[in-house]
PDB file of all heavy atoms in Angstrom:
ATOM      1  N   MET A 146      -7.910  19.445 -11.727  1.00 84.00           N
ATOM      2  CA  MET A 146      -9.026  19.943 -12.535  1.00 84.00           C
ATOM      3  C   MET A 146      -9.285  19.101 -13.782  1.00 84.00           C
ATOM      4  O   MET A 146     -10.396  19.113 -14.309  1.00 84.00           O
ATOM      5  CB  MET A 146      -8.794  21.404 -12.907  1.00 84.00           C
ATOM      6  CG  MET A 146      -8.702  22.329 -11.688  1.00 84.00           C
ATOM      7  SD  MET A 146     -10.085  22.180 -10.533  1.00 84.00           S
ATOM      8  CE  MET A 146     -11.333  23.066 -11.442  1.00 84.00           C
ATOM      9  N   GLU A 147      -8.306  18.364 -14.249  1.00 88.00           N
ATOM     10  CA  GLU A 147      -8.515  17.514 -15.423  1.00 88.00           C
ATOM     11  C   GLU A 147      -9.529  16.411 -15.149  1.00 88.00           C
ATOM     12  O   GLU A 147     -10.089  15.824 -16.073  1.00 88.00           O
ATOM     13  CB  GLU A 147      -7.177  16.915 -15.907  1.00 88.00           C
ATOM     14  CG  GLU A 147      -6.584  15.837 -15.018  1.00 88.00           C
ATOM     15  CD  GLU A 147      -5.786  16.356 -13.813  1.00 88.00           C
ATOM     16  OE1 GLU A 147      -5.720  17.587 -13.596  1.00 88.00           O
ATOM     17  OE2 GLU A 147      -5.245  15.509 -13.068  1.00 88.00           O
ATOM     18  N   LYS A 148      -9.828  16.127 -13.879  1.00 91.00           N
ATOM     19  CA  LYS A 148     -10.798  15.101 -13.505  1.00 91.00           C
ATOM     20  C   LYS A 148     -12.210  15.665 -13.305  1.00 91.00           C
ATOM     21  O   LYS A 148     -13.149  14.911 -13.089  1.00 91.00           O
ATOM     22  CB  LYS A 148     -10.356  14.400 -12.219  1.00 91.00           C
ATOM     23  CG  LYS A 148      -9.094  13.582 -12.371  1.00 91.00           C
ATOM     24  CD  LYS A 148      -8.804  12.824 -11.096  1.00 91.00           C
ATOM     25  CE  LYS A 148      -7.686  11.830 -11.303  1.00 91.00           C
ATOM     26  NZ  LYS A 148      -7.594  10.901 -10.170  1.00 91.00           N
ATOM     27  N   LEU A 149     -12.360  16.974 -13.367  1.00 88.00           N
ATOM     28  CA  LEU A 149     -13.621  17.631 -13.034  1.00 88.00           C
ATOM     29  C   LEU A 149     -14.810  17.087 -13.819  1.00 88.00           C
ATOM     30  O   LEU A 149     -15.838  16.734 -13.243  1.00 88.00           O
ATOM     31  CB  LEU A 149     -13.494  19.146 -13.250  1.00 88.00           C
ATOM     32  CG  LEU A 149     -14.697  19.982 -12.853  1.00 88.00           C
ATOM     33  CD1 LEU A 149     -14.927  19.906 -11.343  1.00 88.00           C
ATOM     34  CD2 LEU A 149     -14.493  21.427 -13.279  1.00 88.00           C
ATOM     35  N   ASN A 150     -14.704  16.994 -15.124  1.00 89.00           N
ATOM     36  CA  ASN A 150     -15.840  16.582 -15.959  1.00 89.00           C
ATOM     37  C   ASN A 150     -16.357  15.190 -15.614  1.00 89.00           C
ATOM     38  O   ASN A 150     -17.550  14.922 -15.763  1.00 89.00           O
ATOM     39  CB  ASN A 150     -15.476  16.649 -17.438  1.00 89.00           C
ATOM     40  CG  ASN A 150     -15.364  18.074 -17.930  1.00 89.00           C
ATOM     41  OD1 ASN A 150     -16.005  18.976 -17.393  1.00 89.00           O
ATOM     42  ND2 ASN A 150     -14.529  18.293 -18.935  1.00 89.00           N
ATOM     43  N   GLY A 151     -15.500  14.306 -15.120  1.00 93.00           N
ATOM     44  CA  GLY A 151     -15.909  12.951 -14.788  1.00 93.00           C
ATOM     45  C   GLY A 151     -16.882  12.856 -13.627  1.00 93.00           C
ATOM     46  O   GLY A 151     -17.553  11.840 -13.454  1.00 93.00           O
ATOM     47  N   TYR A 152     -16.990  13.898 -12.839  1.00 93.00           N
ATOM     48  CA  TYR A 152     -17.881  13.891 -11.680  1.00 93.00           C
ATOM     49  C   TYR A 152     -19.285  14.425 -11.986  1.00 93.00           C
ATOM     50  O   TYR A 152     -20.151  14.389 -11.128  1.00 93.00           O
ATOM     51  CB  TYR A 152     -17.270  14.707 -10.536  1.00 93.00           C
ATOM     52  CG  TYR A 152     -16.087  14.026  -9.914  1.00 93.00           C
ATOM     53  CD1 TYR A 152     -14.789  14.447 -10.195  1.00 93.00           C
ATOM     54  CD2 TYR A 152     -16.258  12.944  -9.050  1.00 93.00           C
ATOM     55  CE1 TYR A 152     -13.701  13.812  -9.621  1.00 93.00           C
ATOM     56  CE2 TYR A 152     -15.172  12.310  -8.473  1.00 93.00           C
ATOM     57  CZ  TYR A 152     -13.894  12.745  -8.769  1.00 93.00           C
ATOM     58  OH  TYR A 152     -12.821  12.106  -8.195  1.00 93.00           O
ATOM     59  N   PHE A 153     -19.497  14.931 -13.193  1.00 92.00           N
ATOM     60  CA  PHE A 153     -20.764  15.572 -13.541  1.00 92.00           C
ATOM     61  C   PHE A 153     -21.322  15.015 -14.833  1.00 92.00           C
ATOM     62  O   PHE A 153     -20.589  14.519 -15.676  1.00 92.00           O
ATOM     63  CB  PHE A 153     -20.564  17.092 -13.680  1.00 92.00           C
ATOM     64  CG  PHE A 153     -20.085  17.735 -12.414  1.00 92.00           C
ATOM     65  CD1 PHE A 153     -18.731  17.873 -12.157  1.00 92.00           C
ATOM     66  CD2 PHE A 153     -20.982  18.171 -11.465  1.00 92.00           C
ATOM     67  CE1 PHE A 153     -18.275  18.445 -10.977  1.00 92.00           C
ATOM     68  CE2 PHE A 153     -20.546  18.746 -10.273  1.00 92.00           C
ATOM     69  CZ  PHE A 153     -19.181  18.881 -10.038  1.00 92.00           C
ATOM     70  N   ASN A 154     -22.634  15.151 -14.991  1.00 90.00           N
ATOM     71  CA  ASN A 154     -23.325  14.753 -16.211  1.00 90.00           C
ATOM     72  C   ASN A 154     -23.372  15.975 -17.129  1.00 90.00           C
ATOM     73  O   ASN A 154     -24.352  16.714 -17.152  1.00 90.00           O
ATOM     74  CB  ASN A 154     -24.732  14.248 -15.879  1.00 90.00           C
ATOM     75  CG  ASN A 154     -25.498  13.831 -17.109  1.00 90.00           C
ATOM     76  OD1 ASN A 154     -24.928  13.703 -18.193  1.00 90.00           O
ATOM     77  ND2 ASN A 154     -26.789  13.634 -16.958  1.00 90.00           N
ATOM     78  N   GLY A 155     -22.274  16.215 -17.822  1.00 84.00           N
ATOM     79  CA  GLY A 155     -22.185  17.387 -18.695  1.00 84.00           C
ATOM     80  C   GLY A 155     -22.299  18.666 -17.885  1.00 84.00           C
ATOM     81  O   GLY A 155     -21.704  18.793 -16.820  1.00 84.00           O
ATOM     82  N   ASP A 156     -23.093  19.593 -18.372  1.00 83.00           N
ATOM     83  CA  ASP A 156     -23.275  20.878 -17.690  1.00 83.00           C
ATOM     84  C   ASP A 156     -24.525  20.846 -16.802  1.00 83.00           C
ATOM     85  O   ASP A 156     -24.989  21.873 -16.354  1.00 83.00           O
ATOM     86  CB  ASP A 156     -23.361  22.012 -18.727  1.00 83.00           C
ATOM     87  CG  ASP A 156     -22.937  23.362 -18.156  1.00 83.00           C
ATOM     88  OD1 ASP A 156     -22.000  23.387 -17.326  1.00 83.00           O
ATOM     89  OD2 ASP A 156     -23.540  24.380 -18.527  1.00 83.00           O
ATOM     90  N   ASN A 157     -25.067  19.649 -16.564  1.00 86.00           N
ATOM     91  CA  ASN A 157     -26.267  19.477 -15.744  1.00 86.00           C
ATOM     92  C   ASN A 157     -25.879  19.431 -14.270  1.00 86.00           C
ATOM     93  O   ASN A 157     -25.601  18.369 -13.719  1.00 86.00           O
ATOM     94  CB  ASN A 157     -27.014  18.194 -16.122  1.00 86.00           C
ATOM     95  CG  ASN A 157     -27.454  18.219 -17.561  1.00 86.00           C
ATOM     96  OD1 ASN A 157     -27.980  19.216 -18.033  1.00 86.00           O
ATOM     97  ND2 ASN A 157     -27.215  17.138 -18.276  1.00 86.00           N
ATOM     98  N   TYR A 158     -25.858  20.586 -13.653  1.00 87.00           N
ATOM     99  CA  TYR A 158     -25.415  20.706 -12.269  1.00 87.00           C
ATOM    100  C   TYR A 158     -26.097  21.935 -11.681  1.00 87.00           C
ATOM    101  O   TYR A 158     -25.984  23.030 -12.226  1.00 87.00           O
ATOM    102  CB  TYR A 158     -23.890  20.849 -12.256  1.00 87.00           C
ATOM    103  CG  TYR A 158     -23.261  21.293 -10.971  1.00 87.00           C
ATOM    104  CD1 TYR A 158     -23.364  20.540  -9.813  1.00 87.00           C
ATOM    105  CD2 TYR A 158     -22.525  22.475 -10.922  1.00 87.00           C
ATOM    106  CE1 TYR A 158     -22.762  20.956  -8.636  1.00 87.00           C
ATOM    107  CE2 TYR A 158     -21.903  22.888  -9.749  1.00 87.00           C
ATOM    108  CZ  TYR A 158     -22.029  22.121  -8.615  1.00 87.00           C
ATOM    109  OH  TYR A 158     -21.419  22.524  -7.459  1.00 87.00           O
ATOM    110  N   ILE A 159     -26.828  21.735 -10.594  1.00 89.00           N
ATOM    111  CA  ILE A 159     -27.545  22.840  -9.950  1.00 89.00           C
ATOM    112  C   ILE A 159     -26.729  23.315  -8.760  1.00 89.00           C
ATOM    113  O   ILE A 159     -26.414  22.535  -7.860  1.00 89.00           O
ATOM    114  CB  ILE A 159     -28.958  22.412  -9.501  1.00 89.00           C
ATOM    115  CG1 ILE A 159     -29.770  21.965 -10.721  1.00 89.00           C
ATOM    116  CG2 ILE A 159     -29.653  23.552  -8.769  1.00 89.00           C
ATOM    117  CD1 ILE A 159     -31.075  21.284 -10.374  1.00 89.00           C
ATOM    118  N   GLN A 160     -26.395  24.581  -8.771  1.00 88.00           N
ATOM    119  CA  GLN A 160     -25.584  25.197  -7.721  1.00 88.00           C
ATOM    120  C   GLN A 160     -26.496  26.100  -6.896  1.00 88.00           C
ATOM    121  O   GLN A 160     -27.077  27.031  -7.435  1.00 88.00           O
ATOM    122  CB  GLN A 160     -24.459  26.009  -8.370  1.00 88.00           C
ATOM    123  CG  GLN A 160     -23.639  26.849  -7.433  1.00 88.00           C
ATOM    124  CD  GLN A 160     -22.975  26.058  -6.343  1.00 88.00           C
ATOM    125  OE1 GLN A 160     -23.467  26.042  -5.217  1.00 88.00           O
ATOM    126  NE2 GLN A 160     -21.878  25.399  -6.637  1.00 88.00           N
ATOM    127  N   HIS A 161     -26.633  25.810  -5.616  1.00 89.00           N
ATOM    128  CA  HIS A 161     -27.531  26.582  -4.763  1.00 89.00           C
ATOM    129  C   HIS A 161     -26.849  27.758  -4.070  1.00 89.00           C
ATOM    130  O   HIS A 161     -27.497  28.503  -3.354  1.00 89.00           O
ATOM    131  CB  HIS A 161     -28.208  25.665  -3.736  1.00 89.00           C
ATOM    132  CG  HIS A 161     -29.150  24.695  -4.373  1.00 89.00           C
ATOM    133  ND1 HIS A 161     -30.443  25.023  -4.704  1.00 89.00           N
ATOM    134  CD2 HIS A 161     -28.966  23.417  -4.777  1.00 89.00           C
ATOM    135  CE1 HIS A 161     -31.032  23.980  -5.263  1.00 89.00           C
ATOM    136  NE2 HIS A 161     -30.157  22.993  -5.320  1.00 89.00           N
ATOM    137  N   ASN A 162     -25.555  27.928  -4.274  1.00 83.00           N
ATOM    138  CA  ASN A 162     -24.871  29.111  -3.761  1.00 83.00           C
ATOM    139  C   ASN A 162     -25.253  30.275  -4.678  1.00 83.00           C
ATOM    140  O   ASN A 162     -24.979  30.231  -5.878  1.00 83.00           O
ATOM    141  CB  ASN A 162     -23.356  28.885  -3.770  1.00 83.00           C
ATOM    142  CG  ASN A 162     -22.586  30.053  -3.208  1.00 83.00           C
ATOM    143  OD1 ASN A 162     -22.948  31.205  -3.395  1.00 83.00           O
ATOM    144  ND2 ASN A 162     -21.496  29.749  -2.532  1.00 83.00           N
ATOM    145  N   PRO A 163     -25.900  31.311  -4.155  1.00 80.00           N
ATOM    146  CA  PRO A 163     -26.396  32.392  -5.018  1.00 80.00           C
ATOM    147  C   PRO A 163     -25.293  33.193  -5.705  1.00 80.00           C
ATOM    148  O   PRO A 163     -25.571  33.941  -6.632  1.00 80.00           O
ATOM    149  CB  PRO A 163     -27.198  33.282  -4.055  1.00 80.00           C
ATOM    150  CG  PRO A 163     -26.725  32.936  -2.690  1.00 80.00           C
ATOM    151  CD  PRO A 163     -26.229  31.523  -2.747  1.00 80.00           C
ATOM    152  N   GLN A 164     -24.050  33.014  -5.304  1.00 81.00           N
ATOM    153  CA  GLN A 164     -22.950  33.739  -5.933  1.00 81.00           C
ATOM    154  C   GLN A 164     -22.292  32.957  -7.068  1.00 81.00           C
ATOM    155  O   GLN A 164     -21.357  33.450  -7.696  1.00 81.00           O
ATOM    156  CB  GLN A 164     -21.903  34.105  -4.875  1.00 81.00           C
ATOM    157  CG  GLN A 164     -22.466  35.022  -3.816  1.00 81.00           C
ATOM    158  CD  GLN A 164     -21.461  35.321  -2.719  1.00 81.00           C
ATOM    159  OE1 GLN A 164     -20.276  35.047  -2.833  1.00 81.00           O
ATOM    160  NE2 GLN A 164     -21.947  35.895  -1.641  1.00 81.00           N
ATOM    161  N   ILE A 165     -22.800  31.756  -7.330  1.00 84.00           N
ATOM    162  CA  ILE A 165     -22.226  30.901  -8.375  1.00 84.00           C
ATOM    163  C   ILE A 165     -23.361  30.425  -9.277  1.00 84.00           C
ATOM    164  O   ILE A 165     -24.391  29.956  -8.799  1.00 84.00           O
ATOM    165  CB  ILE A 165     -21.485  29.691  -7.761  1.00 84.00           C
ATOM    166  CG1 ILE A 165     -20.361  30.170  -6.844  1.00 84.00           C
ATOM    167  CG2 ILE A 165     -20.937  28.783  -8.853  1.00 84.00           C
ATOM    168  CD1 ILE A 165     -19.653  29.053  -6.096  1.00 84.00           C
ATOM    169  N   GLY A 166     -23.161  30.515 -10.577  1.00 82.00           N
ATOM    170  CA  GLY A 166     -24.179  30.078 -11.527  1.00 82.00           C
ATOM    171  C   GLY A 166     -24.268  28.569 -11.621  1.00 82.00           C
ATOM    172  O   GLY A 166     -23.361  27.840 -11.201  1.00 82.00           O
ATOM    173  N   ASN A 167     -25.365  28.082 -12.192  1.00 86.00           N
ATOM    174  CA  ASN A 167     -25.559  26.655 -12.395  1.00 86.00           C
ATOM    175  C   ASN A 167     -24.597  26.114 -13.449  1.00 86.00           C
ATOM    176  O   ASN A 167     -24.086  26.853 -14.284  1.00 86.00           O
ATOM    177  CB  ASN A 167     -26.996  26.362 -12.830  1.00 86.00           C
ATOM    178  CG  ASN A 167     -27.974  26.492 -11.703  1.00 86.00           C
ATOM    179  OD1 ASN A 167     -27.653  26.281 -10.545  1.00 86.00           O
ATOM    180  ND2 ASN A 167     -29.204  26.842 -12.037  1.00 86.00           N
ATOM    181  N   GLY A 168     -24.398  24.813 -13.418  1.00 84.00           N
ATOM    182  CA  GLY A 168     -23.567  24.132 -14.403  1.00 84.00           C
ATOM    183  C   GLY A 168     -22.093  24.314 -14.128  1.00 84.00           C
ATOM    184  O   GLY A 168     -21.672  25.177 -13.359  1.00 84.00           O
ATOM    185  N   LEU A 169     -21.305  23.465 -14.775  1.00 80.00           N
ATOM    186  CA  LEU A 169     -19.857  23.602 -14.643  1.00 80.00           C
ATOM    187  C   LEU A 169     -19.393  24.931 -15.214  1.00 80.00           C
ATOM    188  O   LEU A 169     -18.413  25.506 -14.751  1.00 80.00           O
ATOM    189  CB  LEU A 169     -19.148  22.451 -15.353  1.00 80.00           C
ATOM    190  CG  LEU A 169     -19.267  21.090 -14.682  1.00 80.00           C
ATOM    191  CD1 LEU A 169     -18.480  20.038 -15.445  1.00 80.00           C
ATOM    192  CD2 LEU A 169     -18.798  21.156 -13.253  1.00 80.00           C
ATOM    193  N   SER A 170     -20.123  25.429 -16.198  1.00 83.00           N
ATOM    194  CA  SER A 170     -19.772  26.732 -16.768  1.00 83.00           C
ATOM    195  C   SER A 170     -19.917  27.829 -15.720  1.00 83.00           C
ATOM    196  O   SER A 170     -19.087  28.736 -15.637  1.00 83.00           O
ATOM    197  CB  SER A 170     -20.638  27.032 -17.988  1.00 83.00           C
ATOM    198  OG  SER A 170     -22.016  26.954 -17.649  1.00 83.00           O
ATOM    199  N   GLY A 171     -20.956  27.759 -14.886  1.00 83.00           N
ATOM    200  CA  GLY A 171     -21.152  28.741 -13.816  1.00 83.00           C
ATOM    201  C   GLY A 171     -20.078  28.637 -12.761  1.00 83.00           C
ATOM    202  O   GLY A 171     -19.560  29.649 -12.273  1.00 83.00           O
ATOM    203  N   LEU A 172     -19.716  27.407 -12.421  1.00 78.00           N
ATOM    204  CA  LEU A 172     -18.648  27.182 -11.442  1.00 78.00           C
ATOM    205  C   LEU A 172     -17.327  27.721 -11.977  1.00 78.00           C
ATOM    206  O   LEU A 172     -16.602  28.426 -11.279  1.00 78.00           O
ATOM    207  CB  LEU A 172     -18.535  25.691 -11.121  1.00 78.00           C
ATOM    208  CG  LEU A 172     -17.449  25.282 -10.138  1.00 78.00           C
ATOM    209  CD1 LEU A 172     -17.640  25.941  -8.788  1.00 78.00           C
ATOM    210  CD2 LEU A 172     -17.417  23.760 -10.009  1.00 78.00           C
ATOM    211  N   GLY A 173     -17.027  27.416 -13.234  1.00 77.00           N
ATOM    212  CA  GLY A 173     -15.791  27.900 -13.846  1.00 77.00           C
ATOM    213  C   GLY A 173     -15.727  29.418 -13.879  1.00 77.00           C
ATOM    214  O   GLY A 173     -14.693  30.015 -13.585  1.00 77.00           O
ATOM    215  N   ALA A 174     -16.848  30.067 -14.221  1.00 83.00           N
ATOM    216  CA  ALA A 174     -16.892  31.534 -14.278  1.00 83.00           C
ATOM    217  C   ALA A 174     -16.657  32.136 -12.894  1.00 83.00           C
ATOM    218  O   ALA A 174     -15.941  33.132 -12.758  1.00 83.00           O
ATOM    219  CB  ALA A 174     -18.231  31.996 -14.846  1.00 83.00           C
ATOM    220  N   ALA A 175     -17.235  31.531 -11.859  1.00 81.00           N
ATOM    221  CA  ALA A 175     -17.063  32.046 -10.500  1.00 81.00           C
ATOM    222  C   ALA A 175     -15.616  31.910 -10.045  1.00 81.00           C
ATOM    223  O   ALA A 175     -15.053  32.834  -9.462  1.00 81.00           O
ATOM    224  CB  ALA A 175     -18.000  31.322  -9.537  1.00 81.00           C
ATOM    225  N   LEU A 176     -15.002  30.759 -10.310  1.00 78.00           N
ATOM    226  CA  LEU A 176     -13.608  30.550  -9.916  1.00 78.00           C
ATOM    227  C   LEU A 176     -12.681  31.502 -10.665  1.00 78.00           C
ATOM    228  O   LEU A 176     -11.732  32.036 -10.098  1.00 78.00           O
ATOM    229  CB  LEU A 176     -13.203  29.095 -10.158  1.00 78.00           C
ATOM    230  CG  LEU A 176     -13.900  28.058  -9.278  1.00 78.00           C
ATOM    231  CD1 LEU A 176     -13.515  26.648  -9.704  1.00 78.00           C
ATOM    232  CD2 LEU A 176     -13.606  28.286  -7.807  1.00 78.00           C
ATOM    233  N   GLU A 177     -12.986  31.733 -11.943  1.00 81.00           N
ATOM    234  CA  GLU A 177     -12.188  32.668 -12.738  1.00 81.00           C
ATOM    235  C   GLU A 177     -12.312  34.096 -12.196  1.00 81.00           C
ATOM    236  O   GLU A 177     -11.316  34.818 -12.079  1.00 81.00           O
ATOM    237  CB  GLU A 177     -12.651  32.620 -14.196  1.00 81.00           C
ATOM    238  CG  GLU A 177     -11.826  33.475 -15.130  1.00 81.00           C
ATOM    239  CD  GLU A 177     -12.298  33.350 -16.570  1.00 81.00           C
ATOM    240  OE1 GLU A 177     -12.558  32.215 -17.014  1.00 81.00           O
ATOM    241  OE2 GLU A 177     -12.399  34.390 -17.243  1.00 81.00           O
ATOM    242  N   ALA A 178     -13.533  34.494 -11.842  1.00 84.00           N
ATOM    243  CA  ALA A 178     -13.750  35.839 -11.293  1.00 84.00           C
ATOM    244  C   ALA A 178     -13.014  36.009  -9.961  1.00 84.00           C
ATOM    245  O   ALA A 178     -12.416  37.062  -9.716  1.00 84.00           O
ATOM    246  CB  ALA A 178     -15.244  36.096 -11.113  1.00 84.00           C
ATOM    247  N   MET A 179     -13.050  34.980  -9.113  1.00 82.00           N
ATOM    248  CA  MET A 179     -12.333  35.052  -7.834  1.00 82.00           C
ATOM    249  C   MET A 179     -10.831  35.177  -8.072  1.00 82.00           C
ATOM    250  O   MET A 179     -10.153  35.972  -7.417  1.00 82.00           O
ATOM    251  CB  MET A 179     -12.629  33.821  -6.966  1.00 82.00           C
ATOM    252  CG  MET A 179     -13.999  33.837  -6.350  1.00 82.00           C
ATOM    253  SD  MET A 179     -14.385  32.518  -5.142  1.00 82.00           S
ATOM    254  CE  MET A 179     -13.247  31.235  -5.405  1.00 82.00           C
ATOM    255  N   ALA A 180     -10.317  34.397  -9.016  1.00 80.00           N
ATOM    256  CA  ALA A 180      -8.876  34.439  -9.303  1.00 80.00           C
ATOM    257  C   ALA A 180      -8.460  35.829  -9.788  1.00 80.00           C
ATOM    258  O   ALA A 180      -7.401  36.332  -9.388  1.00 80.00           O
ATOM    259  CB  ALA A 180      -8.521  33.379 -10.344  1.00 80.00           C
TER     260      ALA A 180
END
C-alpha cells in the first residue's frame, strides 16, 4: 500500500463500481468499510 499514491494523479481517479466512491479517498473508505 505504500506504493499506492504513485499510480494515481492525486485524488483524480474515477471509480465506476457503484459501491466505491471516486478518488483514492473513496477507495480507501470502501476498503476500510469492508475490513
Side-chain angles (χ1 to χ4, degrees):
M146 299 308 284
E147 72 278 3
K148 293 185 171 192
L149 184 65
N150 288 332
Y152 289 103
F153 299 91
N154 180 12
D156 205 36
N157 300 315
Y158 167 62
I159 300 169
Q160 172 58 259
H161 293 277
N162 182 324
Q164 298 177 13
I165 301 175
N167 286 331
L169 289 182
S170 56
L172 179 60
L176 293 174
E177 184 178 316
M179 286 187 341

